[in-house]
C-alpha cells in the first residue's frame, strides 16, 4: 500500500509501510549508510505526517518483513493479544501518541495494552515524539521482575556490576566486583563478558561469582555473558543463574548470532528447571542494539530503530529479568555522535517499556564516535528521569576488555543521589546491614577493616 503527503504543492509518496517508517525516522548515520533515510528534512516531516494518519490496525495487516520468510514476524503476529489491543485499536499512530501523553494513559492502562502493541506500532509512534515525550511516557511505566531481588520498582535504579577483564584474571575480576559492591553497584546482576567463550572458562567465572555471593550473602544474581549454547552445555555443572543472549529483530540477524527462537525456548526451559531464584523466576538476560541487523547485512530493508523494536518482541516472549540496549556500542557507522546516541537510547527505552520489558540501557560510546562523557552524563540523567530499570557499572567507566566507554560506579551514585533513586529493596537492606549505605540512601565511607576488603580469591 502506498502512502502520500503534500507539502507546498509537492506530493511525497512512500511505496509501502516499511519505506514510510524509514523515511519518518529522525536522522541517524546507520539509515543513511543503508540508503533508507529521508533525503531532506522536509521529506522526513512529510513521512511523519503520513505516518501519523496510519491506523494502528494497519500494522497487523501490512508486515515490514513477510510472515512467510521471518520467524520474528510470525512471533509478532501469532502472539498478538487482540483483547489487550482493543482499547486503542481505533486509533491512528498520531492519535496513539496523543493518548500516550494524556492523563488517560496511566500506569494501569499502559500495562493493560502493552501485550496488544506490536513493535512496529511502538516504533511508529516513537518517530512522532520529541525526546521529552519519550521520557514522559516511559516514566509512567513500571516493569518489575524478580530472581533473587526485585528490579524495576518506582523510585529504584539498579546497576549491573560489569567487572570485565581482558584475560579473565580471577584476581582482577574479584577486585572489580569488590570495588563495585563497596559503591552500591551489583543489584541488577554481577555480569561478566568473558574474554573466551570456552565452557571451562565460563564455568570458572560463574563459580567465582557464586562463591563470593554465598560468602557474603548478597541478594543478587550472576551471569557470564557467553553464548546460549555454552550456557546449556555447562548448566548442570556450574551455578547458572541467568541465561544471556544477544538478539535481533529479524530471523537473519538471529541466525548470524547462531540462534533461533526454538533454541531460546530450550534455554529458558532449562534455566527455569534449575529453580535457583528465590524471589522470582525471570531467568533470561537479553542485549540488543540499533545497527546490529545492518552490521550483519540482515536488516531486510527495515530501518534500524524498527529492527531494534522488533528484537523486543523476541525478548518479551521469554519474560526476561533484564533487557538492555547497548546503545552506542556498535559504533558511529550506525549512531554517529552524542545527539544520535541520546535519541536512540530514549527511543529504545520508551519502546521497550511500552512493550512491557524490564528495560535498561548501557549508556555508552566507542572511542571513534563523535561523543564524550558529557554526552553520557546528559543521557544518564535523562534515563534516570525516564525511569530506566538499570544501567552499567564499569570500573572508571572504561571497559578494558571490550574497549568502550560506559558508566562508572560513581556515575550510578550521582544519578541515584541527584534524582532520589535507591537500589533494589533487598540489595539496599544488604548495603545498610553491611555499613555501606545509611537509611537515607547515602553512601558511607568504607573502613579498612570492612569484611569485603578481606576477600581473597
Amino acid at each position: 500500500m502506498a502512502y502520500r503527503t503534500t507539502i507546498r504543492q509537492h506530493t511525497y509518496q512512500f511505496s509501502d509501510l516499511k519505506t514510510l517508517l524509514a523515511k519518518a525516522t529522525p536522522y541517524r548515520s546507520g539509515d543513511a549508510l543503508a540508503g533508507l533515510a529521508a533525503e531532506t528534512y522536509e521529506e522526513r516531516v512529510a513521512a511523519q505526517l503520513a505516518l501519523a494518519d496510519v491506523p494502528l490496525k494497519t500494522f497487523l495487516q501490512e508486515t515490514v518483513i513477510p510472515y512467510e520468510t521471518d520467524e520474528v514476524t510470525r512471533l509478532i503476529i501469532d502472539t498478538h493479544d487482540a483483547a489487550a489491543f482493543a482499547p486503542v485499536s481505533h486509533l491512528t499512530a498520531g492519535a496513539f501518541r496523543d493518548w500516550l501523553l494524556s492523563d488517560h494513559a496511566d500506569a494501569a492502562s499502559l500495562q493493560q495494552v502493552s501485550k496488544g502493541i506490536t513493535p512496529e506500532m511502538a516504533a511508529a509512534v516513537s518517530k512522532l515524539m520529541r525526546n521529552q515525550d519519550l521520557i514522559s511516557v516511559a516514566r509512567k511505566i513500571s516493569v518489575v521482575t524478580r530472581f533473587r531481588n526485585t528490579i524495576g520498582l518506582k523510585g529504584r535504579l539498579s546497576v549491573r556490576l560489569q567487572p570485565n577483564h581482558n584475560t579473565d584474571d580471577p584476581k582482577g575480576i574479584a577486585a572489580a566486583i569488590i570495588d563495585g559492591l563497596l559503591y552500591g553497584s551489583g543489584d541488577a546482576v554481577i555480569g561478566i563478558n568473558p574474554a573466551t567463550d570456552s565452557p571451562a572458562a565460563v564455568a570458572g567465572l560463574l563459580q567465582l561469582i557464586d562463591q563470593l555471593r554465598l560468602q557474603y550473602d548478597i541478594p543478587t544474581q550472576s551471569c557470564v555473558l557467553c553464548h546460549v549454547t555454552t550456557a546449556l552445555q555447562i548448566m548442570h555443572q556450574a551455578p547458572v543463574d541467568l541465561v544471556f543472549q544477544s538478539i535481533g529483530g529479524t530471523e537473519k540477524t538471529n541466525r548470524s548470532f547462531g540462534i533461533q527462537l526454538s533454541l531460546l525456548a530450550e534455554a529458558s526451559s532449562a534455566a527455569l528447571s534449575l529453580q535457583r531464584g528465590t524471589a522470582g523466576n525471570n531467568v533470561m538476560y537479553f542485549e540488543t542494539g540499533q545497527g546490529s541487523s545492518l552490521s550483519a547485512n540482515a536488516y531486510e530493508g527495515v530501518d534500524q530503530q524498527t529492527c531494534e523494536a522488533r528484537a523486543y518482541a523476541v525478548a518479551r516472549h521469554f519474560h526476561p529479568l533484564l533487557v538492555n540496549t547497548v546503545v552506542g556500542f556498535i559504533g558511529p557507522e550506525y549512531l554517529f555522535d552524542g545527539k544520535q546516541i541520546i535519541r536512540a537510547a530514549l527511543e529504545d527505552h520508551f519502546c521497550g517499556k511500552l512493550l512491557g520489558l524490564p528495560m535498561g540501557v548501557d549508556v555508552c560510546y566507542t572511542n571513534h564516535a563523535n561523543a564524550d562523557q558529557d554526552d553520557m552524563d546528559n543521557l544518564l540523567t535523562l534515563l534516570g528521569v525516564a525511569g530506566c530499570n538499570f544501567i552499567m557499572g564499569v570500573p572508571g567507566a572504561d571497559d578494558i576488555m571490550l574497549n568502550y566507554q560506559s558508566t562508572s560506579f560513581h556515575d550510578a551514585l550521582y544519578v541515584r543521589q541527584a534524582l532520589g533513586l535507591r537500589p533494589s529493596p533487598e540489595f539496599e537492606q544488604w548495603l545498610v546491614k553491611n555499613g555501606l549505605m545509611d537509611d537515607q540512601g547515602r553512601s558511607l565511607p568504607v573502613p579498612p577493616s570492612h569484611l569485603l576488603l578481606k576477600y581473597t580469591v
Side-chain angles (χ1 to χ4, degrees):
M1 177 180 174
Y3 303 86
R4 60 180 56 85
T5 299
T6 300
I7 298 178
R8 294 184 299 190
Q9 290 78 52
H10 181 86
T11 299
Y12 291 89
Q13 297 197 52
F14 310 98
S15 58
D16 53 26
L17 188 58
K18 175 168 62 176
T19 302
L20 180 64
L21 286 166
K23 300 294 187 183
T25 305
Y27 181 81
R28 62 210 59 198
S29 53
D31 288 341
L33 178 65
L36 301 175
E39 293 185 9
T40 66
Y41 200 106
E42 186 173 282
E43 184 184 23
R44 184 172 302 110
V45 171
Q48 290 169 340
L49 289 170
L51 181 59
D53 289 336
V54 175
L56 293 182
K57 290 179 180 177
T58 301
F59 294 94
L60 298 172
Q61 300 158 358
E62 185 179 350
T63 59
V64 297
I65 303 175
Y67 179 95
E68 297 77 12
T69 61
D70 186 273
E71 69 172 359
V72 177
T73 299
R74 292 194 291 275
L75 176 71
I76 292 167
I77 298 301
D78 294 349
T79 62
H80 181 252
D81 189 329
F85 181 55
V88 295
S89 62
H90 62 289
L91 299 176
T92 62
F96 185 42
R97 171 192 175 276
D98 294 342
W99 180 79
L100 288 171
L101 290 167
S102 74
D103 291 335
H104 297 292
D106 57 14
S109 58
L110 287 166
Q111 183 179 30
Q112 178 188 353
V113 303
S114 66
K115 291 183 179 179
I117 305 305
T118 69
E120 291 85 356
M121 293 176 196
V125 73
S126 76
K127 298 175 194 297
L128 306 177
M129 301 172 85
R130 294 169 56 187
N131 287 1
Q132 66 173 241
D133 299 337
L134 299 171
I135 294 167
S136 295
V137 177
R139 70 175 281 109
K140 294 194 279 187
I141 304 170
S142 294
V143 181
V144 179
T145 55
R146 296 175 175 87
F147 188 77
R148 287 198 188 93
N149 57 16
T150 306
I151 300 170
L153 293 169
K154 206 78 171 174
R156 306 276 176 171
L157 175 67
S158 295
V159 183
R160 169 188 161 188
L161 203 170
Q162 186 170 310
N164 295 346
H165 194 280
N166 52 6
T167 64
D168 285 342
D169 176 64
K171 289 184 178 179
I173 288 172
I177 293 174
I178 296 300
D179 190 26
L181 291 170
L182 293 174
Y183 280 107
S185 292
D187 51 334
V189 64
I190 301 174
I192 303 171
N193 295 91
T196 174
D197 202 61
S198 75
V202 171
L205 293 174
L206 284 168
Q207 288 160 358
L208 167 66
I209 307 172
D210 204 52
Q211 186 273 329
L212 190 154
R213 179 187 65 82
L214 290 170
Q215 181 174 336
Y216 294 100
D217 195 26
I218 308 169
T220 191
Q221 37 282 329
S222 63
C223 185
V224 174
L225 282 68
C226 59
H227 193 268
V228 63
T229 53
T230 304
L232 278 167
Q233 186 176 345
I234 65 172
M235 196 168 283
H236 295 288
Q237 291 82 43
V240 175
D241 287 346
L242 307 181
V243 173
F244 168 82
Q245 185 55 49
S246 294
I247 55 173
T250 73
E251 180 176 339
K252 287 182 178 178
T253 306
N254 289 326
R255 286 186 181 276
S256 78
F257 292 146
I259 61 167
Q260 294 176 273
L261 298 180
S262 58
L263 179 60
L264 295 178
E266 178 187 353
S268 176
S269 177
L272 285 168
S273 72
L274 299 175
Q275 298 184 324
R276 289 180 58 83
T278 55
N281 60 357
N282 299 111
V283 297
M284 302 299 284
Y285 176 15
F286 294 117
E287 280 192 342
T288 65
Q290 287 195 32
S292 62
S293 294
L294 177 56
S295 68
N297 196 27
Y299 62 103
E300 304 275 25
V302 178
D303 70 271
Q304 67 182 39
Q305 191 251 334
T306 301
C307 281
E308 172 73 4
R310 283 169 55 91
Y312 302 156
V314 176
R316 178 167 66 176
H317 189 61
F318 296 102
H319 310 289
L321 179 77
L322 306 166
V323 180
N324 70 261
T325 168
V326 284
V327 64
F329 180 75
I330 303 180
E333 300 85 357
Y334 309 97
L335 295 168
F336 180 74
D337 57 18
K339 180 178 180 179
Q340 292 182 22
I341 291 171
I342 289 170
R343 171 69 193 189
L346 295 177
E347 291 168 347
D348 294 351
H349 180 252
F350 161 82
C351 288
K353 293 286 280 292
L354 185 61
L355 293 169
L357 289 181
M359 205 67 194
V361 178
D362 191 346
V363 179
C364 64
Y365 64 101
T366 56
N367 287 319
H368 61 308
N370 189 14
D372 59 26
Q373 213 63 37
D374 286 338
D375 294 312
M376 299 306 104
D377 287 349
N378 293 342
L379 176 54
L380 175 62
T381 306
L382 293 173
L383 287 168
V385 174
C388 185
N389 277 29
F390 69 101
I391 58 170
M392 308 299 130
V394 179
D398 182 15
D399 193 304
I400 62 171
M401 199 281 283
L402 294 174
N403 291 307
Y404 79 114
Q405 310 304 308
S406 185
T407 43
S408 70
F409 307 137
H410 300 80
D411 295 330
L413 287 179
Y414 146 72
V415 74
R416 281 174 174 168
Q417 182 177 27
L419 299 178
L421 302 171
R422 309 283 277 266
S424 72
E426 300 90 342
F427 195 78
E428 181 180 18
Q429 291 170 13
W430 179 84
L431 291 171
V432 172
K433 178 182 176 182
N434 285 273
L436 300 173
M437 178 180 285
D438 67 17
D439 57 8
Q440 300 301 309
R442 293 175 298 217
S443 182
L444 295 174
V446 179
S449 60
H450 197 280
L451 281 176
L452 281 171
L453 294 176
K454 300 182 185 301
Y455 177 77
T456 58
V457 177

